[in-house]
Amino acid sequence: MSREVAVAAGAFAPGHLGELTRIVPFEMVDEVLADTGRTQQRIRDLPSRVVVYLLLGGALFPGLGWQQVWQRLTAGLDGLPTATPTAGALAQARKRLGTRPLRHLFDLLRGPAAGLGIAGTRWHGLLVCAIDGTLMAVPDSPANQAEFTRHRCNNGGAGYPSLRLLILVACGTRTVMDAVFGPATDGETTYAPRLVRSLREDMIVLLDRNFAVQALIEAVTLRSAHVLVRVKENRRLPVLRRFPDGSWLSRIGPVPVRVVCCEITISTSQGRRTGAYRLVTTLTDPFTHPAGDLIGLYHERWEIETTYLEIKSTILGGRVLRARTPAGVAQEVFAVLVTYQVLRLAMADATASRPGTDPDRASFSIALNTARDLVIQAAGVFSGAVIDLAGTIGRRILAALMPDRRIRTRPRVVKRAISRYNARGTVDRTTYRATISVHILTPAP
C-alpha cells in the first residue's frame, strides 16, 4: 500500500524541495515568475515553477545529471502520474526560464536571519558581517572560455576557467546577505563596492588586508556602517592622538579611524607561533570599544571562510559547476546561493527555537543530508495541521548539536595537491588544543 504524499497537483507535483519548500513556498516562486515574466503560457510537462525547483534540486544533488535530479524529485510521488522528460527537454526548460527568476528569488531570501535574541550574532549591539571572495571552477567549454579565464602560471593558463564570487555574510548565522560574481579578471576590490548597498548603520563589517582600500572604507562609512579591517604593517598611519588602551587615532583619507597593533602568540603542544596584526576601525571610542575586544572580534572574520567551505566542499563536493554557457553558469550560481541560504535559514530557525543556543553548534552536514533525504521522500512539503517550526531538519540538528567551539590551530598544509610528492616535507595534520596570548603594541613617540 503506497503512502500518501502532500504535494502540488498535476504537472506541478515534481516542483518541491522537500521540507525546504516551507522556506521557498509555491506562492513565493509563482510571484517571482510573475514579476520576471517567466510564467508559462500553457501547462505542459515542465511548468516554470517546477523548473525553478529542479534547479534548486540540482544544487542539492550536484553530482547527478539533470535526469537523475528529476528522479529524486519524483521518487516520493507514490501513485501520482509524472512526466519522464528527456535530457534535451530539461535543458530547453532551464534555458527558457533564464537567470532572472533565480536572481529575484535570491534577493527575496538573502539577509541575516538574525533577530536580537539569537546568540552570537551581535557585538556591542552591532550585527557582525564579513566580506571576502573566492574562485569557482566552471566547465571548460568554448563559451565559458570566452567569458571566464584560467589561472595563470609559468606556462600560461592552467586548470578550469574560473569565476570570482564575493559574498557579504552575517557571521553569527553564516547567512548570505548579498553576493556578486563575474569574471576572475576583475579583482576583489572591483566587486566589493557592489556589496556595500546591503550595509546599514547597525552593522560592522570585517575585512582582510586586500580590502583595506580608502574608497571602500569611505563607501562603508557613507552607509553609516562600521569597519574593522586588517592592514599591512608597513602602511603609514599617522598618530593624531594616543589612547590609554594602546591604540591611536589616525586617518584614512577623510575618514577618522583608530589603529590597534598587537602581537598574537599561539601555543600548542607542537610549539609556539607569533604573528603581528595591525587593525583599523571606524569605532574611534576606546572606552566603549576597547582594543582587546576588537582583537577578539576580528577572529570572527573566519566565519566567511567556513561559509565558502560549506558551499564549495560540503554542497558541491569540490566539483566543477555544470553549466557550459555563461548564462547557465549565472543561473546555477544563484541556484546554489539560494539553496545554501534556505539551509542556513532552516538551521537558524532550529537553534532559535531553543533560546541561548549558538548557531555555531548546528551541523551543516546534518541539515544538508536531511534535506536531501526529505526531497527524495517528498516529505514535509506542507507543515500540516500542527505548526512545526523546527521540522525534521531542525529536530535532527538539535538532537546532535556540536560542542561549544574551542580555540584550535594546526600547521598550514598544501591544499588540493596534485601529487603527494609536491608537498615540501611532512606535516602532522592533527588538530591541537591551543592557547592564545595577545600583547597590544603602542606606537613609538
Side-chain angles (χ1 to χ4, degrees), residues 229-292:
V229 57
R230 187 180 179 188
V231 299
K232 295 180 180 179
E233 295 178 43
N234 60 358
R235 183 161 184 168
R236 296 185 62 183
L237 295 166
V239 179
L240 303 180
R241 180 184 172 189
R242 300 174 187 272
F243 295 119
D245 63 355
S247 62
W248 73 89
L249 184 68
S250 189
R251 188 173 292 275
I252 293 180
V255 181
V257 296
R258 188 158 137 247
V259 184
V260 178
C261 287
C262 64
E263 191 175 73
I264 299 177
T265 301
I266 301 175
S267 302
T268 72
S269 58
Q270 301 299 299
R272 301 174 63 190
R273 185 173 58 193
T274 299
Y277 273 67
R278 175 180 277 194
L279 304 178
V280 166
T281 180
T282 52
L283 296 169
T284 56
D285 189 335
F287 300 103
T288 56
H289 306 100

Side-chain angles (χ1 to χ4, degrees), residues 43-56:
I43 304 299
R44 297 183 177 179
D45 287 344
L46 295 171
S48 298
R49 182 208 294 173
V50 173
V51 180
V52 171
Y53 286 112
L54 173 71
L55 285 161
L56 301 182

Side-chain angles (χ1 to χ4, degrees), residues 282-304:
T282 52
L283 296 169
T284 56
D285 189 335
F287 300 103
T288 56
H289 306 100
D293 291 357
L294 289 166
I295 295 168
L297 171 65
Y298 189 72
H299 184 70
E300 294 296 311
R301 194 196 70 80
W302 288 98
E303 297 294 347
I304 196 168

Side-chain angles (χ1 to χ4, degrees), residues 38-299:
R38 288 295 185 269
T39 304
Q40 68 284 330
Q41 298 300 313
R42 290 181 293 173
I43 304 299
R44 297 183 177 179
D45 287 344
L46 295 171
S48 298
R49 182 208 294 173
V50 173
V51 180
V52 171
Y53 286 112
L54 173 71
L55 285 161
L56 301 182
L60 277 178
F61 299 100
L64 303 180
W66 288 109
Q67 285 182 296
Q68 290 178 295
V69 174
W70 180 265
Q71 291 167 7
R72 299 303 186 277
L73 295 176
T74 57
L77 306 181
D78 295 344
L80 298 178
T82 57
T84 308
T86 64
L90 293 173
Q92 288 299 317
R94 299 193 308 276
K95 183 178 180 180
R96 187 167 59 247
L97 185 73
T99 302
R100 289 181 60 208
L102 274 299
R103 181 195 298 269
H104 193 40
L105 188 58
F106 172 70
D107 283 335
L108 288 177
L109 290 166
R110 64 186 176 91
L116 292 174
I118 298 182
T121 59
R122 291 182 177 265
W123 179 85
H124 289 260
L126 298 172
L127 183 69
V128 181
C129 311
I131 291 174
D132 207 351
T134 192
L135 296 176
M136 299 181 73
V138 301
D140 196 2
S141 65
N144 283 342
Q145 288 181 33
E147 178 76 11
F148 307 108
T149 57
R150 302 172 186 267
H151 286 296
R152 299 296 300 175
C153 66
N154 293 334
N155 298 316
Y160 288 97
S162 298
L163 65 83
R164 191 180 303 281
L165 169 68
L166 268 75
I167 58 177
L168 170 67
V169 165
C171 293
T173 56
R174 290 190 218 134
T175 46
V176 178
M177 300 173 61
D178 207 346
V180 293
F181 58 89
T185 47
D186 292 331
E188 292 180 338
T189 53
T190 301
Y191 288 108
R194 292 162 55 187
L195 298 173
V196 173
R197 62 179 182 173
S198 296
L199 296 175
R200 58 178 188 263
E201 62 181 353
D202 64 337
M203 296 179 180
I204 183 167
V205 59
L206 313 181
L207 302 167
D208 200 6
R209 285 176 292 188
N210 189 44
F211 297 95
V213 178
Q214 177 182 326
L216 181 59
I217 294 173
E218 288 184 33
V220 173
T221 56
L222 287 174
R223 299 288 298 180
S224 299
H226 291 285
V227 171
L228 179 61
V229 57
R230 187 180 179 188
V231 299
K232 295 180 180 179
E233 295 178 43
N234 60 358
R235 183 161 184 168
R236 296 185 62 183
L237 295 166
V239 179
L240 303 180
R241 180 184 172 189
R242 300 174 187 272
F243 295 119
D245 63 355
S247 62
W248 73 89
L249 184 68
S250 189
R251 188 173 292 275
I252 293 180
V255 181
V257 296
R258 188 158 137 247
V259 184
V260 178
C261 287
C262 64
E263 191 175 73
I264 299 177
T265 301
I266 301 175
S267 302
T268 72
S269 58
Q270 301 299 299
R272 301 174 63 190
R273 185 173 58 193
T274 299
Y277 273 67
R278 175 180 277 194
L279 304 178
V280 166
T281 180
T282 52
L283 296 169
T284 56
D285 189 335
F287 300 103
T288 56
H289 306 100
D293 291 357
L294 289 166
I295 295 168
L297 171 65
Y298 189 72
H299 184 70

Side-chain angles (χ1 to χ4, degrees), residues 408-425:
R408 294 173 179 263
T409 185
R410 69 179 182 183
R412 181 180 295 274
V413 297
V414 176
K415 298 178 181 178
R416 297 181 67 180
I418 297 175
S419 165
R420 64 187 177 90
Y421 299 106
N422 290 341
R424 297 179 180 177

Side-chain angles (χ1 to χ4, degrees), residues 326-404:
V329 167
Q331 184 187 64
E332 188 175 357
V333 171
F334 279 118
V336 170
L337 291 173
V338 168
T339 302
Y340 174 81
Q341 182 74 351
V342 296
L343 284 166
R344 272 287 158 195
L345 292 173
M347 295 169 69
D349 288 343
T351 54
S353 69
R354 186 176 293 179
T357 303
D358 194 314
D360 281 345
R361 300 185 59 196
S363 168
F364 186 80
S365 294
I366 289 176
L368 174 62
N369 290 321
T370 304
R372 286 170 171 168
D373 292 342
L374 296 174
V375 167
I376 295 171
Q377 299 165 14
V381 176
F382 297 110
S383 59
V386 179
I387 301 299
D388 183 5
L389 295 178
T392 302
I393 295 173
R395 286 192 295 274
R396 292 190 184 176
I397 288 171
L398 294 174
L401 288 173
M402 297 186 291
D404 290 329

